[in-house]
Amino acid sequence: MEAENHTEVSQFFLLGLSEDPELQPLLLGLFLSMYLVTVFGNLLIILAISSASHLHTPMYFFLSNLSFIDICFVSTTVPKMLVNIHTQIKGISYMGCLTQVYFFMIFAGLDNLLLTVMAYDRFVAICHPLHYTVIMNPRLCVLLVLICWLIIFSASLLHILLMRRLAFALGTKIPHFFCELALILKVAQSDTFINNIVLYVATALLCVFPVTGILYSYSQIVSSLLRMSSTASKYKAFSTCGSHLCVVSLFYGTGLGVYLSSAVTHSSNRNSITSVMYTVVTPMLNPFIYTLRNKDVKGALERLLSRAASCP
């Protein structure tokens, strides 16, 4: 049977985090709460930034984009998981799985690249403050975001086109709560050599270059801070990087944890639980990090909520 026909009638089964019936209501309530907090938290960040004219700067433009991407990122995996838990039906169609893989790669990659762009923004602001408004003009900011989208769309589309060549058995089980490309390749019945090569190369390029860019930006920032004579100036300059550093540490820390967990242990259940950290927990914590550590965002959010409360 041809691979294309074989995949059209195949259905995958997502095993989820646990098959214990007693844990299903707890998991449903927990992830529903986390999903709602993530969506409303990031949505409030976007509304607060858009409603405050003094926040219409490159840093907050990138932050609002990051919040939008986080909403899309968590919406790619969690709603389907909630439906599966509620209905106790673990099936997902081939096209549904393909779509989930595609959008998961897009938004995970955009998170990665946008954090790099935000690091560059802080580098320009601290190391070249007199030229900041000229360099980080609105046209460049929009262009940087569009370039991020273009790169990730192209890379994700290549993976999907290669994945369409693969054949899968009927009723294939995926030991995860969502369709992840690496696991899909493991359960495929056809040769995945080319897919794996492209996956490794794309992962290396889309991780090495962003991480290198972030490390270079912060090495220059630290070098610039050390040359400042005033302690107050150092604190003020570095405080603008605090939230971004926390998000970067959380994003790459949880991603590294997932990689090490999968390399050290072959327990699919443990790997799935570890994946929750960067697919659900990280997008949920980002709004708290930026509101608790950023007085401008906190103030704009308070004014937004007070206006909403005063409306009849």
Side-chain angles (χ1 to χ4, degrees), residues 8 37 62 66 68 104 159 176 210 214 249 251 254 263 265 290:
E8 284 180 357
V37 169
F62 295 133
L66 181 67
F68 171 73
F104 179 83
H159 285 302
H176 216 321
I214 292 174
S249 301
F251 181 80
T254 53
T265 178
Y290 275 101

Side-chain angles (χ1 to χ4, degrees), residues 74-94:
V74 74
S75 298
T76 303
T77 57
V78 176
K80 177 59 179 175
M81 178 179 64
L82 294 176
V83 170
N84 287 358
I85 294 175
H86 178 67
T87 60
Q88 292 298 299
I89 299 175
K90 299 181 180 295
I92 181 172
S93 66
Y94 170 75

Side-chain angles (χ1 to χ4, degrees), residues 152-172:
I152 295 303
F153 265 122
S154 303
S156 301
L157 183 60
L158 176 60
H159 285 302
I160 294 302
L161 292 176
L162 290 174
M163 184 176 165
R164 290 281 292 173
R165 302 167 47 254
L166 303 179
F168 300 90
L170 293 174
T172 299

Side-chain angles (χ1 to χ4, degrees), residues 3 37 42 51 66 70 84 141 151 157 186 201 211-212 223 236 242 248 279 290 304 307 310:
V37 169
N42 283 285
S51 64
L66 181 67
D70 280 340
N84 287 358
C141 294
I151 292 173
L157 183 60
K186 288 182 179 180
V201 172
V211 170
T212 302
S223 177
K236 183 179 180 180
V248 168
T279 57
Y290 275 101
L304 176 67
R307 283 201 300 269
S310 62

Side-chain angles (χ1 to χ4, degrees), residues 31-184:
F31 282 96
L32 178 60
S33 302
M34 294 171 72
Y35 178 70
L36 293 176
V37 169
T38 303
V39 171
F40 286 115
N42 283 285
L43 188 59
L44 284 175
I45 293 289
I46 297 173
L47 293 175
I49 292 174
S50 61
S51 64
S53 58
H54 68 285
L55 295 183
H56 295 173
T57 62
M59 181 173 72
Y60 296 110
F61 169 73
F62 295 133
L63 175 57
S64 60
N65 275 271
L66 181 67
S67 295
F68 171 73
I69 290 169
D70 280 340
I71 292 174
C72 297
F73 184 36
V74 74
S75 298
T76 303
T77 57
V78 176
K80 177 59 179 175
M81 178 179 64
L82 294 176
V83 170
N84 287 358
I85 294 175
H86 178 67
T87 60
Q88 292 298 299
I89 299 175
K90 299 181 180 295
I92 181 172
S93 66
Y94 170 75
M95 287 307 300
C97 189
L98 202 70
T99 302
Q100 194 175 64
V101 169
Y102 180 62
F103 284 106
F104 179 83
M105 289 189 296
I106 286 177
F107 295 119
L110 282 172
D111 249 340
N112 190 20
L113 293 183
L114 198 55
L115 288 174
T116 308
V117 172
M118 294 173 75
Y120 173 71
D121 172 70
R122 291 300 83 206
F123 158 71
V124 177
I126 294 175
C127 299
H128 305 283
L130 299 179
H131 302 92
Y132 178 71
T133 55
V134 177
I135 298 174
M136 299 303 297
N137 57 76
R139 184 178 179 180
L140 178 63
C141 294
V142 174
L143 182 62
L144 288 173
V145 173
L146 288 178
I147 290 174
C148 292
W149 280 89
L150 180 61
I151 292 173
I152 295 303
F153 265 122
S154 303
S156 301
L157 183 60
L158 176 60
H159 285 302
I160 294 302
L161 292 176
L162 290 174
M163 184 176 165
R164 290 281 292 173
R165 302 167 47 254
L166 303 179
F168 300 90
L170 293 174
T172 299
K173 294 181 179 180
I174 302 174
H176 216 321
F177 63 91
F178 69 96
C179 292
E180 190 175 30
L181 180 59
L183 289 178
I184 299 297

